[in-house]
């Protein structure tokens, strides 16, 4: 059963990675690479990889919840295996896309590559957040329907608004500490990446808890 799960999720991840990389390459050739004869122009491609990758990750997770979950459960695959499979697959996909972009930026010369190296942890963290939010939205939609999704978005807006109000209401001393922390690029990259990892773990735990009582609908 373990080998079968690995083969299944491996094929899924490879398929989505192929779609992402091929689509990104085509978009780069259409919009950035047409008539280009400079090697440094290839350094733009990772941005296409990340943009396409974000959409593919959303599509991938939605398909797992809307199609594969019921299908695999009807084939006597355990809920734990399904959740673990798509969480692992999503994580591997983000790691591979980040690695491909990082390798391109480290091999290619130019200011674009130098900027990409700095932004890489932010972008990777952003992909993790996109995956986590998509998992939570699908989980909430299955459990509580449209009202749950609307309530989730209202909660997110309240958290963002509360954070902004909290920052603005800080005294000068606390605000200066916050600004020093934000200006520390290394620390900020660690915070963004760590937040993405934490949110993905939390979203996976929530999905596992909700789907534990999910009934197959044929």
């Amino acid at each position: 059963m373990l080998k079968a799960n690995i083969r299944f999720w491996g094929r899924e991840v490879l398929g989505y990675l192929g779609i992402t990389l091929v689509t990104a390459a085509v978009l780069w050739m259409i919009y950035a690479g047409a008539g280009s004869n400079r090697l440094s122009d290839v350094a733009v491609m990772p941005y296409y990889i990340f943009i396409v990758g974000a959409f593919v990750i959303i599509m991938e997770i939605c398909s797992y919840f809307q199609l594969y979950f019921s299908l695999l459960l009807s084939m006597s695959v355990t809920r734990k295996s399904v959740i673990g499979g798509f969480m692992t697959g999503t994580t591997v996909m983000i790691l591979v896309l980040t690695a491909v972009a990082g390798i391109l930026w480290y091999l290619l010369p130019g200011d674009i590559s130098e900027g990409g190296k700095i932004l890489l942890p932010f972008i990777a963290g952003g992909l993790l957040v996109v995956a986590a939010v998509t998992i939570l939205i699908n989980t909430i939609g299955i459990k509580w329907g449209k009202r749950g999704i609307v309530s989730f978005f209202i909660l997110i807006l309240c958290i963002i608004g509360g954070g902004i109000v909290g920052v603005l209401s800080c005294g000068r001393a606390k605000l200066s500490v916050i600004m020093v922390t934000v200006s520390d690029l290394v620390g900020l990259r660690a915070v963004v990446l760590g937040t993405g990892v934490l949110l993905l773990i939390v979203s996976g735990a929530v999905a596992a808890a909700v789907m534990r009582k999910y009934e197959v609908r044929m």
Side-chain angles (χ1 to χ4, degrees):
M1 180 64 72
L2 179 60
K3 290 183 179 180
N5 284 338
I6 293 174
R7 284 197 300 269
F8 175 81
W9 294 111
R11 286 194 301 268
E12 289 294 306
V13 172
L14 287 175
Y16 284 117
L17 281 172
I19 292 172
T20 301
L21 296 176
V22 170
T23 304
V26 170
L27 289 175
W28 174 81
M29 286 187 290
I30 293 173
Y31 294 106
S36 174
N37 55 5
R38 293 184 302 171
L39 187 61
S40 60
D41 290 339
V42 184
V44 180
M45 187 181 293
Y47 290 108
Y48 288 91
I49 291 175
F50 284 127
I51 293 171
V52 176
F55 284 102
V56 172
I57 287 170
I58 293 172
M59 179 182 69
E60 169 200 18
I61 293 172
C62 290
S63 68
Y64 289 156
F65 277 90
Q66 302 300 324
L67 175 63
Y68 286 113
F69 203 91
S70 296
L71 178 63
L72 293 174
L73 289 182
S74 68
M75 298 169 62
S76 301
V77 179
T78 65
R79 289 166 173 77
K80 183 178 179 180
S81 295
V82 177
I83 295 293
F86 88 75
M87 288 296 296
T88 302
T90 301
T91 303
V92 168
M93 183 169 175
I94 293 173
L95 288 174
V96 171
L97 293 179
T98 303
V100 171
I103 291 171
L104 286 174
W105 276 330
Y106 274 93
L107 291 179
L108 298 171
D111 294 337
I112 295 176
S113 294
E114 293 301 319
K117 295 174 190 177
I118 296 173
L119 293 175
L120 191 59
F122 293 107
I123 299 174
L127 288 180
L128 290 169
V129 171
V130 167
V133 171
T134 306
I135 290 170
L136 287 173
I137 290 174
N138 279 275
T139 303
I140 291 170
I142 288 176
K143 180 66 176 179
W144 292 288
K146 294 180 179 179
R147 292 182 179 179
I149 294 175
V150 172
S151 299
F152 176 75
F153 278 113
I154 292 174
L155 176 63
I156 294 297
L157 291 174
C158 289
I159 291 173
I160 294 173
I164 294 173
V165 171
V167 170
L168 293 177
S169 62
C170 285
R172 288 190 175 182
K174 291 183 179 180
L175 190 58
S176 64
V177 173
I178 293 173
M179 293 305 296
V180 169
T181 303
V182 171
S183 64
D184 178 13
L185 194 57
V186 176
L188 184 59
R189 285 185 290 186
V191 168
V192 172
L193 193 56
T195 300
V197 172
L198 180 61
L199 284 176
L200 188 63
I201 294 173
V202 170
S203 66
V206 171
V210 170
M211 292 301 186
R212 187 170 53 189
K213 298 181 180 180
Y214 179 78
E215 297 295 333
V216 178
R217 296 174 187 146
M218 301 299 292

